[in-house]
Amino acid sequence: MSNIKLFESKKVRSQWNEGEQRWYFSIIDVVEILSEADNARRYWSDLKRKLKKEGFDELYEKIVQLRMEAKDGKLRETDAADATTLLRIIQSIPSPKAEPFKRWLAQVGNERLEEIENPELATQRIRETYKMKGYSDDWIEKRMRGIAVRDELTDEWKKRGVKEQKEYSILTAEISRSTFGMTPTEYKKFKELNRPTENLRDHMTDLELIFTMLGEASTTEIARNRDAQGFIENLTAAYEGGTVAGNARKELESKTGQKVVTKKNYKKLTEGEKRKQLKDKQ
C-alpha cells in the first residue's frame, strides 16, 4: 500500500498500521494544504493550543510521532493522527477546502474497508498499480503469489503467539539470511536501495521472488507440522524453512553457474517490459 496520498495534486504522507488496522496521516501536510499559511508549523502549534482551550483534552494523547520521509528524502519524526482525530482537527480550520478534504479522507477509508470486505478488490488494485509501473505480467503473478504466501505465514505466526512488529521482523530476517545469506536490510544495501520507502520485494527478479516464497512457505509448513509455539520455536522453524530454500538456491546455482541474488532493481526489471510495449505499439 502506498504511503503517499494525493489531495488536489498535493502530497499527504501516511502510514498504515497493520496492528491497529488504520491509516495515520501527517498533520502538518494537511494543515499546510487547508490553511495555506506561510508557516504551517507555527499555524499547527497555535491550533493545538486552540483545540485544547476548546475542550479537546485528549488531543495530545491522540497524536503520535511517526518517522516519515521529508522533502530531503530523510526520515524525520512528525505529528500524525488517524482519520477520526484528523477530522476533528480539520473542523477547527476555517477553510473552504475543508469539506472536499473530508470527502477525500472518507474515500480513502472507504477504499480500505472495501478491501477488507472484498480482498479480491485489493488484489486487483495492486495488480493495476504494478502494471502501471511497467512490470511484466509474469512478474506480477509471482509478486501476487508471494504476497499470499507471506500473509499465510504471518497469520500462522499470529496464531502461534508471535508478537507483531519486532518479532515478525526478526523471524523474517532469519528466513532471508538462511535463504540468501543476508538479512533484508543487507539485501537492500546490496541492491543499492537507499530510500526507506523502497520495498525490497518490488526490486526482486522472478527467481528471487520464487526462493523468497519457498523460504516462507517452508517455514509455514514446518511451524504447522511441529505445532511451534512462541518466538523461540518459531525462530527455529524460520531458520529451517529458510535453509530449505537456501539449499535449493545453492543447488540451482551449482547447476547453472549463475547467482540467484542480483543487484537488479526496479529500473532494470521494467526496462525490458517497457521496450517490449514500445515495440508492440510500432
Side-chain angles (χ1 to χ4, degrees):
M1 281 175 283
S2 173
N3 66 343
I4 293 291
K5 300 296 176 187
L6 292 177
F7 175 70
E8 293 188 347
S9 300
K10 295 184 180 180
K11 294 181 179 180
V12 175
R13 292 167 294 171
S14 59
Q15 282 187 20
W16 173 253
N17 186 303
E18 191 65 35
E20 298 180 17
Q21 290 286 293
R22 71 177 72 182
W23 283 101
Y24 278 90
F25 302 87
S26 166
I27 298 173
I28 197 69
D29 291 354
V30 175
V31 168
E32 188 172 24
I33 293 170
L34 295 186
S35 69
E36 297 183 311
D38 293 332
N39 190 327
R41 295 190 181 281
R42 181 179 298 171
Y43 187 100
W44 168 229
S45 180
D46 293 341
L47 184 59
K48 278 192 281 190
R49 288 194 290 270
K50 178 176 179 288
L51 287 165
K52 183 75 173 176
K53 289 180 180 178
E54 289 178 352
F56 194 5
D57 295 326
E58 67 273 27
L59 173 64
Y60 288 91
E61 297 176 10
K62 299 286 187 181
I63 296 172
V64 297
Q65 287 280 310
L66 295 179
R67 289 171 64 80
M68 293 184 173
E69 187 176 1
K71 292 178 181 179
D72 60 7
K74 295 181 179 179
L75 286 177
R76 303 184 189 280
E77 287 194 344
T78 187
D79 285 352
D82 64 12
T84 302
T85 303
L86 191 58
L87 282 170
R88 175 66 182 87
I89 293 170
I90 290 171
Q91 289 171 358
S92 297
I93 300 176
S95 167
K97 291 187 176 183
E99 188 55 39
F101 195 97
K102 292 174 189 175
R103 291 197 297 269
W104 167 80
L105 194 58
Q107 179 184 350
V108 172
N110 183 61
E111 285 179 359
R112 180 55 188 164
L113 290 173
E114 287 176 345
E115 291 171 0
I116 292 173
E117 178 111 358
N118 181 6
E120 289 185 7
L121 185 59
T123 300
Q124 179 184 338
R125 285 173 177 159
I126 295 171
R127 284 180 186 275
E128 290 171 354
T129 299
Y130 282 127
K131 191 69 176 176
M132 288 172 59
K133 288 182 176 181
Y135 288 98
S136 70
D137 290 335
D138 288 344
W139 185 95
I140 293 171
E141 286 302 318
K142 293 180 181 68
R143 183 71 177 96
M144 298 307 298
R145 181 57 189 152
I147 291 172
V149 169
R150 174 67 183 181
D151 286 345
E152 187 176 2
L153 174 60
T154 55
D155 285 345
E156 202 66 35
W157 281 342
K158 192 178 295 185
K159 294 175 189 174
R160 300 184 177 284
V162 177
K163 297 176 183 175
E164 295 183 30
Q165 307 283 337
K166 187 175 181 179
E167 290 188 352
Y168 279 29
S169 298
I170 295 172
L171 296 179
T172 301
E174 185 55 52
I175 297 171
S176 178
R177 185 187 294 109
S178 301
T179 301
F180 299 109
M182 61 182 86
T183 65
T185 300
E186 294 166 341
Y187 213 147
K188 287 187 71 172
K189 288 181 180 178
F190 177 76
K191 281 185 175 286
E192 298 179 351
L193 304 175
N194 302 315
R195 293 167 65 87
T197 55
E198 290 175 312
N199 186 307
L200 173 61
R201 300 184 194 209
D202 286 351
H203 295 268
M204 285 184 167
T205 63
D206 287 34
L207 280 176
E208 288 173 308
L209 287 174
I210 288 169
F211 283 105
T212 298
M213 281 189 275
L214 179 58
E216 295 192 334
S218 298
T219 299
T220 301
E221 285 302 307
I222 291 170
R224 214 176 260 157
N225 283 284
R226 288 187 183 169
D227 193 23
Q229 297 295 327
F231 174 70
I232 298 300
E233 290 184 9
N234 278 282
L235 181 61
T236 300
Y239 166 75
E240 294 181 356
T243 299
V244 170
N247 288 338
R249 171 185 62 82
K250 292 172 186 175
E251 179 69 15
L252 177 62
E253 289 174 341
S254 71
K255 299 295 184 183
T256 63
Q258 299 291 325
K259 293 290 185 182
V260 169
V261 175
T262 171
K263 284 184 176 289
K264 284 184 180 179
N265 55 33
Y266 162 69
K267 184 177 179 180
K268 292 183 179 178
L269 288 172
T270 57
E271 277 177 352
E273 182 66 14
K274 287 175 181 176
R275 283 197 297 268
K276 179 178 177 296
Q277 291 174 356
L278 184 61
K279 185 178 179 181
D280 292 341
K281 289 179 181 178
Q282 292 175 343

